[in-house]
Amino acid sequence: MAIAVGCFALLRAVVPQGYLAGPFVLILGGVAWLAAATGHLPGRVGDHVVPLLVVTVGAGVALSRPRLGPGRVMVPVVRFQSLLIPVRERVAESRTLQKVVIRSVFGYARIDMSRILVDARGDLDDVSPWLVDVDVSVLFGRVELLVGQDCAVVPGKLGQAYGVDLEEATVSVLTAARTGDDKRNDLARDMRLNVLGLGGAVSVTPVLAPPTS
């Protein structure tokens, strides 16, 4: 039970809601198998198959992604996840994307966000067209973010990153988000970086801005 609870706590820290069912079922099944193999479950393993199936199915249903309730609106968001296996992805060109979510669990994620461009329409005093939230969760993994040359970083929530190396950024670091008056002539959107996790490293590197049509 201690193994199961500990693993579940780690999963809650790095895996987004809706993706917990599969890993948790595997952990629960592995703990039950281990208990049966070491003699902690009396009788034969077959005697426990039905109760274990009921428990695992119930856990899977409880942890699955809930449906959207009436009136809820989905925020434009893209997600990437590296579980042991390296991931190299490019975020498609977008002027409306509001959030990028990246998880790295003992893996390596290299995400190119240089095509997230400024939407110069609307209120110049509204920072949202010039800012995208980037939520990074690491568990002894590495995340490398590639951004446009004129992108700046606004520090977000960094207080829950324990032992995570925030490598020296080669981009500008701002204390507050820029408004349209400061950034309307630039192409790349600024990013607000939120980091959660244990161990690993996060870096931000500028690349050449993509050509505009």
Side-chain angles (χ1 to χ4, degrees):
M1 288 301 297
I3 294 173
V5 172
C7 292
F8 181 65
L10 289 175
L11 288 172
R12 287 287 296 175
V14 298
V15 180
Q17 184 179 7
Y19 298 92
L20 285 170
F24 186 72
V25 167
L26 289 175
I27 291 172
L28 186 61
V31 170
W33 192 349
L34 179 63
T38 54
H40 288 84
L41 289 179
R44 298 176 304 174
V45 177
D47 297 334
H48 307 284
V49 170
V50 174
L52 287 175
L53 285 177
V54 173
V55 172
T56 53
V57 170
V61 172
L63 296 172
S64 61
R65 182 178 296 278
R67 294 183 177 180
L68 287 176
R72 291 184 61 185
V73 179
M74 286 294 292
V75 175
V77 55
V78 294
R79 302 177 184 272
F80 303 98
Q81 182 164 302
S82 171
L83 178 59
L84 299 178
I85 301 174
V87 171
R88 293 175 175 83
E89 298 285 350
R90 170 179 288 175
V91 181
E93 181 174 324
S94 174
R95 298 179 186 273
T96 58
L97 184 66
Q98 296 182 20
K99 179 177 285 190
V100 178
V101 179
I102 305 167
R103 317 288 182 192
S104 178
V105 182
F106 295 99
Y108 168 72
R110 183 177 186 269
I111 309 300
D112 185 349
M113 300 191 303
S114 60
R115 294 178 179 269
I116 305 180
L117 306 177
V118 168
D119 186 355
R121 298 170 297 180
D123 185 3
L124 293 180
D125 293 328
D126 182 9
V127 301
S128 57
W130 286 269
L131 191 67
V132 59
D133 280 296
V134 180
D135 294 347
V136 175
S137 296
V138 293
L139 179 60
F140 297 103
R142 177 179 175 83
V143 174
E144 187 176 339
L145 306 173
L146 304 181
V147 298
Q149 279 188 316
D150 51 348
C151 174
V153 174
V154 181
K157 298 178 181 178
L158 305 176
Q160 297 184 20
Y162 303 101
V164 178
D165 184 15
L166 298 175
E167 297 182 347
E168 183 177 355
T170 53
V171 297
S172 300
V173 179
L174 307 176
T175 57
R178 292 190 284 191
T179 61
D181 289 331
D182 301 319
K183 194 165 175 64
R184 57 185 165 186
N185 295 325
D186 294 333
L187 294 174
R189 239 183 298 177
D190 292 343
M191 58 181 287
R192 179 162 47 209
L193 181 61
N194 307 303
V195 181
L196 168 69
L198 175 65
V202 178
S203 66
V204 182
T205 306
V207 297
L208 291 175
T212 57
S213 56

